[in-house]
C-alpha cells in the first residue's frame, strides 16, 4: 500500500478490491466476509428461507416456472446455497453470484460466478450488505463550515482535510446530507446511487432488493458512519487491506437514483423487521404445551423462534433497511 494521501473512495477501493485487497486476498480473508462480521445470512437459515419465499412469490407474479436469482455481493455463496436448499419442488432457478473474489471450491455447480450482474434477466436481484462496501468519498466541514474532502494515509489511517467539495459531489451533499457545523462529516453516496441504479436496471422484470444499515435525510448521523471490521470486532478504519471498510447507506438517495435513471419501477423503503414478518419470519415462542406432547419439536421450535427474534430485533438486525423496486410488475396492494 502506498503512503500518499488519497481520498477515501480511492483508498478504500484499493484496500478492499485491489489485487491484495481485503476481499480478494485469500491470506487476508480465507473464510470470506463470514470470518469478519456476521450478517443475517450467517445468523440463521430462516433468512435464506424467507428469500426463497420471496423468489417463489415473484415467479408466481411473473407466471413463469424459470426465474433468475442474482445475489450481489455474494461472499462465498452462502445465501444462494441456502435459498436453493429451501426452494419448493417444480421451480427452476438460474442462480448468479456477483462477487470480486474467486469462486470458492465445492460450490453448487448450478451457481454462475460473475463479476457484475447479468443483463436482461427476469426474477429477483438481492443485495445483502453490498452497498455499504461500495467506496465513497468522505467530507468534513472545516472551521468555516465549508465541506472539504477528507484525505487518508493508507499505512495508518491518519486523516487531513483536502480541497473543498465541488461539482456533482457538492450537489449531492447539498441535496442529501448538508454539512454546516465545523467537524460534521458525511459519506458522499453518489457511487452507491450509481451502482444501485445500474443493478436495478439489469432486470428486465422482477424485484430488486437492497438490504443495509440505512439512514435518511433529516436523520443522518452528524459525524458519518465509516468504520472497520476484522475478526468479528469493530476496528479503526485503516485502508491498508487488513480490515473491512464499511459505512451505512443513504437508501433514500439510492431510491431516487433509480427513478432518475428512468427505470420504471415502484419503490418501497421499509425495515427488515416488517419485511421478514411479511415473509413469515416471526419471533413468537412455541406454546409450552408442545414441550409435553413433542419435546424434541418444542426444542426445535424454540431455537427457530430465537433465530427469528434475532433477525427482527429492534436495535439490531431488524433495523436494517430494505429498499425494494418492482420492475415491470404492478405495484403491490397497500
Amino acid at each position: 500500500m502506498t503512503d500518499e494521501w488519497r481520498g477515501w473512495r480511492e483508498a478504500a477501493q484499493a484496500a478492499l478490491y485491489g489485487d491484495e485487497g481485503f476481499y480478494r486476498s485469500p491470506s487476508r480473508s480465507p473464510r470470506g466476509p463470514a470470518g469478519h462480521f456476521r450478517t443475517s445470512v450467517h445468523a440463521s437459515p430462516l433468512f435464506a428461507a424467507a428469500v426463497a419465499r420471496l423468489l417463489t412469490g415473484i415467479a408466481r407474479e411473473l407466471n413463469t416456472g424459470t426465474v433468475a436469482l442474482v445475489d450481489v455481493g455474494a461472499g462465498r455463496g452462502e445465501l444462494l446455497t441456502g435459498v436453493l436448499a429451501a426452494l419448493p419442488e417444480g421451480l427452476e432457478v438460474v442462480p448468479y453470484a456477483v462477487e470480486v473474489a474467486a469462486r470458492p471450491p465445492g460450490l453448487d455447480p448450478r451457481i454462475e460466478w460473475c463479476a457484475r450482474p447479468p443483463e436482461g434477466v427476469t426474477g429477483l436481484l438481492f443485495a445483502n450488505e453490498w452497498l455499504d462496501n461500495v467506496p465513497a468519498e468522505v467530507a468534513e466541514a472545516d472551521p468555516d463550515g465549508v465541506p472539504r474532502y477528507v484525505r487518508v494515509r493508507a499505512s495508518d489511517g491518519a486523516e487531513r482535510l483536502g480541497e473543498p467539495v465541488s461539482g456533482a459531489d457538492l450537489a449531492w451533499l447539498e441535496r442529501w446530507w448538508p454539512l454546516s457545523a465545523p467537524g460534521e462529516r458525511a459519506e458522499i453516496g453518489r457511487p452507491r446511487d450509481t451502482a444501485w441504479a445500474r443493478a436495478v436496471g439489469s432486470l428486465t422484470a422482477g424485484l430488486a432488493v437492497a438490504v443495509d444499515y440505512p439512514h435518511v435525510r433529516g436523520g443522518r448521523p452528524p459525524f458519518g458512519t465509516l468504520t472497520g471490521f476484522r475478526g468479528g470486532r469493530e476496528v479503526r478504519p485503516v485502508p491498508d487491506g487488513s480490515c473491512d471498510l464499511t459505512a451505512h447507506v443513504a437508501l433514500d438517495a439510492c431510491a431516487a437514483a433509480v427513478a432518475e435513471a428512468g427505470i420504471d419501477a415502484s419503490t418501497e423503503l421499509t425495515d427488515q423487521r416488517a419485511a421478514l414478518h411479511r415473509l413469515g419470519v416471526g419471533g413468537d415462542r412455541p406454546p409450552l404445551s408442545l414441550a409435553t406432547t413433542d419435546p424434541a419439536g418444542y426444542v426445535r421450535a424454540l431455537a427457530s423462534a430465537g433465530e427469528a427474534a434475532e433477525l427482527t430485533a429492534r436495535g439490531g438486525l431488524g433495523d436494517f433497511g430494505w429498499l425494494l423496486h418492482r420492475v415491470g410488475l404492478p405495484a403491490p396492494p397497500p
Side-chain angles (χ1 to χ4, degrees):
M1 291 288 177
T2 178
D3 243 8
E4 67 183 6
W5 296 89
R6 295 185 289 176
W8 263 107
R9 183 182 180 188
E10 181 185 356
Q13 183 69 33
L16 293 177
Y17 305 117
D19 290 341
E20 292 300 315
F22 179 79
Y23 280 108
R24 283 190 181 273
S25 171
S27 61
R28 294 186 188 274
S29 203
R31 291 180 53 208
H36 297 278
F37 51 87
R38 190 166 181 261
T39 72
S40 296
V41 178
H42 310 124
S44 171
L46 294 176
F47 190 80
V51 175
R53 288 192 291 273
L54 184 61
L55 177 62
T56 302
I58 291 301
R60 190 181 304 118
E61 287 193 67
L62 292 168
N63 193 27
T64 178
T66 303
V67 68
L69 173 59
V70 183
D71 181 9
V72 186
R76 296 298 183 265
E78 297 96 334
L79 177 61
L80 286 172
T81 299
V83 172
L84 290 174
L87 287 171
E89 291 186 11
L91 179 61
E92 183 178 345
V93 173
V94 182
Y96 299 89
V98 182
E99 182 56 65
V100 298
R103 182 188 183 100
L107 192 67
D108 190 315
R110 291 175 292 175
I111 297 174
E112 181 173 336
W113 200 261
C114 47
R116 58 185 58 86
E119 294 290 334
V121 299
T122 298
L124 173 63
L125 182 144
F126 202 88
N128 184 61
E129 296 197 53
W130 168 58
L131 288 172
D132 65 295
N133 287 130
V134 174
E137 294 287 7
V138 177
E140 181 177 321
D142 69 13
D144 296 320
V146 176
R148 292 180 177 271
Y149 292 107
V150 176
R151 299 305 183 195
V152 63
R153 190 165 58 196
S155 60
D156 60 3
E159 294 181 335
R160 68 185 186 189
L161 296 187
E163 68 274 21
V165 179
S166 60
D169 283 346
L170 181 59
W172 190 94
L173 275 182
E174 290 174 341
R175 179 182 180 187
W176 294 108
W177 199 338
L179 301 178
S180 57
E184 287 186 344
R185 286 168 64 111
E187 293 93 32
I188 302 174
R190 251 185 358 106
R192 282 112 177 253
D193 299 351
T194 301
W196 182 239
R198 187 181 298 121
V200 177
S202 70
L203 282 179
T204 297
L207 178 69
V209 183
V211 181
D212 248 303
Y213 267 127
H215 46 65
V216 296
R217 200 182 193 286
R220 308 283 189 217
F223 304 110
T225 61
L226 178 66
T227 192
F229 281 92
R230 183 192 304 116
R233 295 180 180 274
E234 188 171 2
V235 298
R236 182 167 165 264
V238 178
D240 62 356
S242 69
C243 66
D244 179 41
L245 298 169
T246 177
H248 298 182
V249 183
L251 285 180
D252 50 348
C254 293
V258 170
E260 290 161 10
I263 299 169
D264 184 14
S266 63
T267 300
E268 178 189 8
L269 179 56
T270 186
D271 61 30
Q272 178 156 299
R273 181 180 178 85
L276 289 184
H277 280 174
R278 289 202 310 241
L279 292 168
V281 179
D284 295 339
R285 293 169 62 93
L288 192 57
S289 59
L290 186 64
T292 303
T293 58
D294 183 4
Y298 176 78
V299 171
R300 288 193 299 270
L302 194 62
S304 179
E307 293 175 5
E310 181 183 3
L311 289 173
T312 59
R314 290 190 175 94
L317 295 175
D319 289 345
F320 268 73
W322 279 49
L323 176 60
L324 303 95
H325 299 279
R326 293 168 57 85
V327 180
L329 294 170

